[in-house]
Amino acid sequence: ADDMGLGKTCQVISFLAYLKQINEPGAHLIIVPSSTLENWLREFKKFCPTLKIEPYYGSQKERGELRDMLENAHDQYDVMVTTYNLAAGNKYDVAFLRKCDFNVIVYDEGHMLKNSMSERFNKLMKIHGNFRLLLTGTPLQNNLRELISLLEFIMPHLFVSKKESLQTIFKQRVRTT
């Protein structure tokens, strides 16, 4: 998804509701900027109140209690919503999310993952999901390196093994004679 104002949030909610309807197993994860967390929770409530949404957010103590409660409770919620700061933040949050086995992981504002050398990219890459979806209203600016980073993120099985070769290509300088 690549344009602003086209209803990406509603489309994702519809997609996740459909997965529940066809009994597709597994909890799903949505990672969002902190500024949009409340909006996502409100949209779920408005467009699909039958989905059980679990916000993973709060103080360090509250998140510790949430981790204890959710550790083995994948069947008690359909979708977990958290922020980039928490998903790639302290070691307890990162370890907890890595242990979860999500079906679909949605990354709102996916252009935040356009740098494959960033700590955020590497931490989020380690969260397991069967399917990844990047949402963004910010188009790529004809930057091949950013495109490759995003492709590597959503299809790691294709691109991780080729990472060194791709980096070598980007280091080459074009010469004219």
Side-chain angles (χ1 to χ4, degrees):
D2 65 358
D3 272 320
M4 272 176 32
L6 294 180
K8 294 181 292 292
T9 305
C10 190
Q11 291 176 34
V12 167
I13 293 169
S14 298
F15 173 61
L16 297 178
Y18 174 72
L19 291 178
K20 182 173 181 159
Q21 181 182 352
I22 63 168
N23 295 316
E24 179 70 26
H28 313 294
L29 175 65
I30 301 180
I31 301 176
V32 304
S34 300
S35 62
T36 65
L37 179 74
E38 292 298 325
N39 181 56
W40 272 92
L41 298 175
R42 190 172 43 256
E43 297 289 304
F44 269 109
K45 199 174 284 186
K46 180 178 182 180
F47 291 110
C48 193
T50 58
L51 283 176
K52 171 84 170 89
I53 308 305
E54 189 61 60
Y56 183 72
Y57 195 73
S59 69
Q60 204 163 7
K61 182 181 180 206
E62 291 169 330
R63 291 193 319 273
E65 293 169 3
L66 269 173
R67 285 191 298 271
D68 292 341
M69 182 183 83
L70 298 173
E71 194 87 46
N72 298 309
H74 278 294
D75 56 344
Q76 294 183 17
Y77 64 92
D78 298 307
V79 180
M80 181 186 297
V81 183
T82 193
T83 67
Y84 280 99
N85 291 341
L86 292 179
N90 85 39
K91 62 182 179 181
Y92 302 111
D93 296 322
V94 171
F96 166 68
L97 292 172
R98 284 179 69 182
K99 279 190 237 173
C100 297
D101 192 27
F102 296 106
N103 187 9
V104 174
I105 304 177
V106 177
Y107 302 87
D108 190 17
E109 303 298 339
H111 58 274
M112 297 171 87
L113 300 165
K114 64 186 179 183
N115 180 1
S116 66
M117 305 309 268
S118 73
E119 182 180 1
R120 171 182 284 166
F121 182 99
N122 290 312
K123 284 183 175 179
L124 294 177
M125 181 68 99
K126 293 175 183 170
I127 299 173
H128 180 262
N130 295 325
F131 180 81
R132 293 179 176 177
L133 175 65
L134 300 178
L135 304 176
T136 183
T138 304
L140 293 174
Q141 298 299 317
N142 295 325
N143 185 322
L144 191 54
R145 184 171 281 155
E146 291 177 5
L147 176 62
I148 295 299
S149 289
L150 294 174
L151 289 172
E152 176 186 345
F153 194 85
I154 59 174
M155 295 182 289
H157 56 284
L158 283 176
F159 287 88
V160 169
S161 63
K162 309 279 191 265
K163 191 168 189 158
E164 283 185 37
S165 300
L166 290 168
Q167 287 175 343
T168 302
I169 291 170
F170 288 123
K171 288 178 184 175
Q172 301 296 317
R173 298 274 184 213
V174 176
R175 295 186 188 130
T176 59
T177 54

